[in-house]
Amino acid sequence: MTTLAKKISELFTKDIELVEAKPKPYSNPYLTGIGLGIVLLLSFVIMGRGLGASGAMSSLIAYGVYNISPEHASSNEFYKEYIGDGTTNPLKDWLVFEVLGVLVGGFISGTLAGRVRKRVEKGPNISKGKRLFFAFIGGALMGFGAKLARGCTSGQALTGGALLNLGSWIFMVMVFAGGYAFAYFLRRQWL
């Protein structure tokens, strides 16, 4: 019985090995950076504004709050910035469509490169639950920081940096300084 179960298990293992394709290597970071710069330039030329992401989440939240409690959203200065006088839909915003395009484009690119798989990327010394917990905490801190800084890494660093805003350059230096400062403490999770 044990031998039969082992042979069945081997059959499925062999099938998985045949189905999984070897992923293509990552793109050259310098060429990717040039491509990102071209996308940013085209964004200014075509849409009249740069790239960003956190504004799309703010539009989505304002839309949700407005649908649940229109009186509260109309009396709150933060939500009023996104819903206006209530005649326009806050989801009809450039950043919302841009973020949707990033999600769709990322999925297509990952599929073409053979990198789309149902798994959690993690190091050998961390559990899936702990990895997802750290990812959630990191994302929440990033979102909180983006609202404090009035822009996320794409809005502050890419768009603000391209416009030579001093605050955006200071933001980028602090992002790298914070990353290097905490990398020492978290690197064992990935090694």
Side-chain angles (χ1 to χ4, degrees):
M1 186 69 176
T2 309
T3 309
L4 178 64
K6 187 177 177 183
K7 286 190 177 195
I8 291 173
S9 174
E10 286 175 1
L11 284 174
F12 284 111
T13 304
K14 286 178 182 175
D15 285 344
I16 290 170
E17 288 174 358
L18 289 174
V19 171
E20 286 189 7
K22 186 176 179 184
K24 293 180 181 176
Y26 288 107
S27 301
N28 182 316
Y30 299 108
L31 292 177
T32 305
I34 291 170
L36 185 57
I38 291 171
V39 169
L40 180 60
L41 178 64
L42 290 174
S43 171
F44 277 116
V45 171
I46 296 171
M47 297 307 298
R49 57 186 292 189
L51 301 173
S54 58
M57 186 57 75
S58 298
S59 294
L60 183 65
I61 290 171
Y63 177 76
V65 170
Y66 182 73
N67 282 306
I68 292 170
S69 176
E71 300 83 24
H72 175 70
S74 299
S75 64
N76 184 294
E77 290 299 321
F78 175 78
Y79 298 126
K80 272 178 29 180
E81 183 181 334
Y82 293 93
I83 61 173
D85 59 0
T87 58
T88 59
N89 188 331
L91 297 181
K92 288 183 180 176
D93 184 76
W94 151 244
L95 292 179
V96 173
F97 290 103
E98 178 214 293
V99 169
L100 289 174
V102 167
L103 290 174
V104 172
F107 181 76
I108 292 171
S109 173
T111 301
L112 292 175
R115 295 190 181 281
V116 175
R117 291 192 176 87
K118 186 179 175 183
R119 67 178 182 191
V120 176
E121 291 279 343
K122 66 177 195 65
N125 297 324
I126 187 170
S127 67
K128 286 180 183 177
K130 206 171 179 182
R131 169 69 177 105
L132 292 174
F133 174 74
F134 280 140
F136 177 78
I137 295 296
L141 287 173
M142 194 71 179
F144 183 71
K147 292 318 298 176
L148 287 179
R150 303 191 67 153
C152 59
T153 48
S154 55
Q156 279 281 7
L158 291 177
T159 301
L163 297 173
L164 302 178
N165 288 337
L166 178 61
S168 298
W169 283 94
I170 293 172
F171 171 83
M172 269 309 294
V173 170
M174 293 296 109
V175 165
F176 279 102
Y180 279 109
F182 278 95
Y184 177 80
F185 299 105
L186 298 175
R187 69 189 169 110
R188 291 178 189 223
Q189 308 298 327
W190 289 94
L191 300 177

